[in-house]
């Protein structure tokens, strides 16, 4: 009958393009497949170049064993692999690739060229795959090893190409991929450049475990190394203070593959329980190696999932080895003053943050049309007058005034610490941490009351920003507006700031926004609204607070200490570090060996 659909075999090129979607989601997935191939080929040095976040060019050069000319046509053929010969192999996979579809898929959605030479070959050969159309091999110039160039990814799948994010975002996915593979393969050198600029140059071996963390974390890690029969866990964990509200410093590997395994994540969190604020994620790079039969890595090739035969054993191993590392470390100072216990995060912090998003913009921000205030030098500690009419009205109980701390004159040491006498001993206060805490609480109260006065700048302030930063700004803009920050894209590569909270008049708006937008990778894009708000408030407090090293006048010291007991949770700064160390007379007597007489 007319109009009845006919069942047809799809052309192979179309099948490949559909299959490609399984393997190739974005430039980072191409980079992953190609680096894995290079590692499987025994490369000792891998060079990765990308342009425009990988959408224009991805080039991976390796010094591995190369592909013999007669094998080369097979490399681009679907389901052709040198890595899997029978079913039994599926259970004991040791190489990275095993489906034999990466190159075929990549070639079907890009202009891809392979140039390769084996160490016994006297010439290199090149082969092209342009959207599934394969030509070659033909003799070419090249060193021993393989170069794969992928240009114009998704040029023939416009829907897919449109789906790609801004250059900066795609680059950051690629960076994450490169770092994970570099962490898992410390004996291979990696050199990674974005648009001609070297982003990471990682020689084999040296300090590879630290490659995924910011440089300043270097000295703040503990080694983890433990075996349980044929299971082996090794790596590093960051000191508790490195725990972050995001998971970017957490790299977990099983059998050399990056994973997001809930058993390992949970065990790690348990090991840090009580040492860092709940809701923060410990920094860790952990490698779990176990016999091939103990783990199924084939659950989903793209999804970072694995299935353990004995997940409890994995959990126990991770938790106990990390705990042991933390216990072995001298986390506590020699003289043991009482560090005021971190209180659990109050429900109402989260509630306040959540409520913020439900309030009406109108009542939130009050725009004041005033001139920008000159930034003054040292912050007079209470950046704001003590707030009134807050807590009690919504049923929150204010922290009781600390009876042990009527101020009896404090002295400042090293322009960083305030030392004062209490009824039963003395306290040492970290001036920055305390001030930060005070400002954070003030911000919360302001949000709760819904009055964040904003100051309109007569002349907008502008600064340069890249595409990814503009994208982040776009996402954050509604929240920032409600916090009194009016900043938006100003042309294709700049940001204009039009107003800024009057409360934060001591901050440089440009400096603040630049730092906010520079928070790299997808940190701010992936987090939920409340986490991002918490982060922004943290940043405001940290930047507005007096710094370690700032000299304070006696009046400033008194003002700062006077605020201490007005603020809830003042014994910890927003990052969960203590603000106050307490030494009782008994502690002192014990130290001076006066006891027992
Ligand atoms: P798989 O890695 O799953 O086998 P691919 O499509 O990624 O499938 O690669 C197909 C084959 O091409 C591989 O099995 C390997 O023999 C060869 N090959 C790919 N990349 C390289 C490389 N960089 N060096 C040497 N051989 C390679
Ligand atoms: Mg492969």
């Amino acid at each position: 009958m007319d109009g009845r659909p006919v069942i047809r075999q799809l052309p192979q090129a179309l099948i490949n393009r559909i299959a490609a979607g399984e393997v190739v989601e974005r430039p980072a997935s191409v980079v992953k497949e190609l680096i894995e191939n290079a590692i499987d080929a025994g490369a000792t040095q891998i060079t990765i170049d990308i342009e425009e976040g990988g959408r224009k060019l991805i080039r991976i050069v390796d010094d591995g064993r190369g592909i013999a000319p007669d094998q080369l046509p097979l490399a681009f053929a679907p389901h052709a692999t040198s890595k899997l010969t029978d079913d039994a192999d599926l259970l004991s996979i040791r190489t990275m690739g095993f489906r034999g579809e990466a190159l075929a898929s990549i070639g079907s959605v890009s202009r891809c060229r392979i140039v390769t030479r084996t160490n016994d070959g006297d010439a290199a050969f090149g082969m092209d795959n342009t959207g599934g159309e394969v030509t070659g091999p033909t003799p070419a110039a090249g060193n021993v090893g393989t170069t794969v160039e992928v240009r114009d990814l998704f040029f023939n799948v416009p829907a897919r190409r449109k789906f790609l994010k801004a250059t900066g975002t795609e680059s950051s996915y690629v960076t994450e991929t490169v770092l994970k593979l570099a962490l898992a393969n410390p004996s291979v050198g990696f050199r990674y450049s974005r648009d001609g600029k070297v982003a990471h140059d990682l020689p084999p071996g040296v300090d590879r475990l630290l490659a995924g963390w910011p440089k300043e974390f270097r000295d703040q890690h503990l080694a983890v190394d433990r075996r349980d029969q044929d299971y082996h866990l090794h790596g590093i964990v960051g000191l508790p203070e490195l725990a972050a509200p995001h998971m970017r410093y957490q790299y977990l590997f099983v059998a050399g593959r990056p994973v997001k395994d809930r058993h390992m994540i949970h065990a790690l969190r348990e090991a840090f329980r009580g040492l860092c604020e709940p809701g923060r994620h410990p920094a860790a790079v952990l490698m779990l190696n176990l016999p091939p039969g103990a783990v199924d890595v084939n659950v989903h090739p793209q999804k970072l999932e694995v299935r353990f035969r004995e997940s409890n054993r994995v959990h126990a191993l991770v938790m106990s080895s990390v705990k042991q590392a933390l216990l072995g470390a001298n986390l506590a100072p020699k003289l043991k003053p009482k560090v005021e216990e971190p209180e659990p995060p109050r429900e109402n912090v989260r509630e306040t943050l959540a409520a913020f998003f439900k309030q009406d913009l109108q009542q939130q921000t009050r725009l004041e049309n005033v001139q920008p205030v000159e930034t003054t030098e040292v912050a007079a500690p209470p950046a704001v007058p003590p707030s009134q009419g807050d807590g009690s009205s919504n049923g929150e109980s204010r922290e009781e005034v600390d009876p042990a701390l009527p101020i009896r004159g404090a002295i400042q040491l090293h322009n960083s610490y305030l030392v004062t006498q209490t009824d039963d001993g003395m306290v040492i206060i970290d001036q920055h941490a305390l001030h930060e805490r005070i400002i954070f609480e003030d911000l919360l109260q302001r949000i709760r009351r819904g009055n964040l006065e904003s100051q309109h700048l007569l002349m907008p302030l502008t600064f340069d920003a890249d595409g990814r930063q503009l994208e982040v700004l776009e996402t954050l803009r509604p929240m920032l507006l409600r916090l009194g920050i009016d900043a938006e894209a100003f042309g294709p590569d700049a940001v204009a700031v039009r107003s800024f909270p009057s409360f934060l008049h001591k901050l440089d708006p440009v400096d603040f926004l630049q730092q906010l937008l520079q928070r790299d990778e997808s940190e701010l894009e992936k987090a939920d609204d409340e986490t991002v708000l918490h982060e922004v408030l943290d940043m405001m407090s940290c930047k507005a607070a007096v710094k370690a090293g700032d000299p304070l006048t006696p009046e400033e010291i008194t003002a700062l200490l006077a605020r201490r007991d007005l603020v809830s949770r003042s014994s910890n700064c927003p990052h969960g570090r203590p603000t106050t160390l307490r030494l009782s007379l008994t502690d002192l007597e014990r130290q001076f060996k006066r006891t027992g007489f």
Side-chain angles (χ1 to χ4, degrees):
M1 213 198 276
D2 276 353
R4 182 181 299 169
V6 180
I7 300 175
R8 255 191 246 109
Q9 181 77 44
L10 295 174
Q12 188 61 44
L14 185 55
I15 295 175
N16 293 350
R17 225 180 290 168
I18 293 169
E22 295 278 309
V23 183
V24 187
E25 192 194 345
R26 53 174 12 110
S29 29
V30 173
V31 169
K32 171 174 177 285
E33 294 292 336
L34 298 181
I35 294 180
E36 288 183 348
N37 280 350
I39 292 169
D40 284 346
T44 63
Q45 178 66 38
I46 302 176
T47 305
I48 304 113
D49 282 280
I50 64 164
E51 284 174 23
E52 290 179 14
R55 91 183 63 208
K56 183 171 171 212
L57 172 74
I58 295 165
R59 185 193 300 115
I60 314 279
V61 182
D62 72 54
D63 60 355
R65 69 177 74 90
I67 308 172
D70 60 318
Q71 301 282 302
L72 195 45
L74 282 173
F76 273 138
H79 302 291
T81 177
S82 56
K83 302 170 194 173
L84 187 69
T85 44
D86 61 38
D87 273 4
D89 284 359
L90 260 180
L91 293 172
S92 56
I93 288 150
R94 293 200 171 270
T95 60
M96 301 271 195
F98 50 81
R99 288 160 291 124
E101 44 185 314
L103 285 177
S105 300
I106 293 165
S108 72
V109 293
S110 69
R111 303 179 214 278
C112 178
R113 176 168 174 78
I114 302 182
V115 174
T116 184
R117 179 172 164 187
T118 57
N119 57 9
D120 52 0
D122 34 39
F125 285 85
M127 188 149 177
D128 294 273
N129 186 343
T130 306
E133 214 170 285
V134 181
T135 50
T138 49
N143 296 326
V144 172
T146 303
T147 297
V148 182
E149 265 182 11
V150 177
R151 290 180 189 276
D152 306 326
L153 185 63
F154 297 136
F155 78 97
N156 55 352
V157 197
R160 223 39 207 265
R161 197 171 168 87
K162 237 186 286 166
F163 179 75
L164 294 179
K165 298 235 176 94
T167 297
T169 311
E170 294 299 342
S171 301
S172 66
Y173 284 123
V174 174
T175 307
E176 209 175 297
T177 302
V178 172
L179 284 177
K180 281 182 181 164
L181 285 158
L183 285 169
N185 297 279
S187 58
V188 179
F190 285 78
R191 191 182 162 89
Y192 164 55
S193 312
R194 288 183 300 219
D195 297 309
K197 269 189 240 129
V198 179
H200 289 277
D201 191 1
L202 308 169
V206 193
D207 288 346
R208 181 61 61 84
L209 284 172
L210 288 162
W213 288 352
K215 287 214 170 50
E216 60 273 20
F217 284 18
R218 273 192 170 254
D219 302 324
Q220 291 163 278
H221 69 270
L222 305 168
V224 172
D225 194 349
R226 194 145 141 183
R227 280 171 203 281
D228 165 18
Q229 298 166 54
D230 46 2
Y231 284 27
H232 181 204
L233 183 81
H234 76 107
I236 50 174
V237 291
L239 295 181
E241 57 261 38
L242 300 188
H246 53 76
M247 296 181 81
R248 275 187 25 251
Y249 306 140
Q250 222 173 73
Y251 294 90
L252 307 177
F253 298 85
V254 172
R257 291 168 176 269
V259 296
K260 279 219 155 35
D261 175 70
R262 62 196 167 88
H263 302 287
M264 293 177 75
I265 294 172
H266 185 265
L268 184 58
R269 200 164 50 218
E270 283 300 295
F272 274 82
R273 185 196 275 276
L275 293 173
C276 58
E277 248 189 48
R280 302 226 157 211
H281 305 280
V285 183
L286 294 177
M287 316 267 172
L288 176 62
N289 286 304
L290 58 193
V295 59
D296 181 3
V297 292
N298 203 6
V299 177
H300 191 301
Q302 300 301 311
K303 279 212 177 127
L304 310 169
E305 282 169 26
V306 289
R307 195 174 291 145
F308 295 114
R309 220 178 47 202
E310 299 173 276
S311 51
N312 288 342
R313 191 171 156 200
V314 170
H315 189 279
L317 176 63
V318 172
M319 186 160 103
S320 61
S321 359
V322 173
K323 260 194 172 162
Q324 192 188 36
L326 289 165
L327 282 175
N330 191 9
L331 296 176
K334 288 241 165 45
L335 173 72
K336 275 209 177 132
K338 181 170 173 277
V339 175
E340 297 191 349
E341 275 300 307
E343 293 169 41
R346 292 163 311 153
E347 256 317 295
N348 60 27
V349 171
R350 223 102 192 122
E351 268 166 29
T352 304
L353 295 180
F356 174 80
F357 293 97
K358 296 192 193 105
Q359 287 170 32
D360 174 25
L361 176 60
Q362 285 309 84
Q363 69 176 91
Q364 187 83 202
T365 308
R366 233 179 29 224
L367 257 184
E368 287 172 355
N369 243 327
V370 284
Q371 292 214 6
V373 180
E374 280 301 302
T375 305
T376 46
E377 253 315 284
V378 174
V384 283
S387 24
Q388 312 110 1
D390 41 72
S392 42
S393 57
N394 57 21
E396 172 211 3
S397 67
R398 272 261 193 84
E399 193 196 39
E400 332 72 67
V401 171
D402 182 348
L405 196 74
I407 313 300
R408 294 208 190 84
I411 53 164
Q412 191 189 27
L413 299 184
H414 298 282
N415 289 337
S416 301
Y417 299 100
L418 307 178
V419 180
T420 189
Q421 176 182 330
T422 61
D423 279 353
D424 67 343
M426 60 179 284
V427 290
I428 306 171
I429 294 167
D430 177 329
Q431 66 185 38
H432 170 71
L434 174 61
H435 196 208
E436 190 178 21
R437 183 79 244 169
I438 290 172
I439 296 176
F440 184 82
E441 287 296 327
D442 271 322
L443 280 167
L444 274 186
Q445 283 166 4
R446 273 158 193 274
I447 283 179
R448 220 177 283 146
R449 291 199 307 266
N451 64 339
L452 283 164
E453 304 87 353
S454 182
Q455 207 162 72
H456 191 73
L457 311 177
L458 287 186
M459 284 284 285
L461 300 167
T462 59
F463 62 90
D464 293 344
D466 65 26
R468 192 199 64 92
Q469 291 171 339
L470 292 180
E471 205 171 86
V472 173
L473 177 61
E474 172 109 15
T475 323
L476 297 182
R477 187 169 148 77
M479 176 197 299
L480 293 178
L481 262 180
R482 297 176 58 179
L483 290 172
I485 302 178
D486 180 2
E488 66 183 328
F490 187 66
D493 45 20
V495 170
V497 193
R498 299 209 164 75
S499 41
F500 204 68
S502 15
F503 171 64
L504 296 171
H505 63 88
K506 293 193 183 72
L507 296 195
D508 176 358
V510 168
D511 184 49
F512 178 81
L513 280 158
Q514 273 179 330
Q515 282 204 21
L516 181 66
L517 300 180
Q518 265 159 17
R519 306 207 137 198
D520 67 343
E521 326 264 299
S522 17
E523 177 182 335
L524 291 170
E525 291 160 62
K526 284 186 193 154
D528 62 82
D529 286 348
E530 286 159 40
T531 309
V532 174
L533 175 60
H534 202 301
E535 275 286 282
V536 172
L537 298 182
D538 265 7
M539 236 184 103
M540 286 177 167
S541 328
C542 180
K543 292 183 71 71
V546 291
K547 304 287 174 296
D550 287 347
L552 300 179
T553 65
E555 293 72 37
E556 287 171 335
I557 292 174
T558 311
L560 183 52
L561 293 180
R563 297 291 317 285
R564 180 178 181 270
D565 41 58
L566 290 176
V567 195
S568 335
R569 294 183 78 218
S570 59
S571 55
N572 288 87
C573 78
H575 305 295
R577 289 193 298 270
T579 62
T580 306
L581 302 184
R582 191 182 281 280
L583 275 170
S584 66
L585 284 173
T586 325
D587 293 329
L588 293 174
E589 281 159 7
R590 204 176 296 130
Q591 291 295 329
F592 288 112
K593 314 240 183 271
R594 278 160 164 261
T595 42
F597 291 98

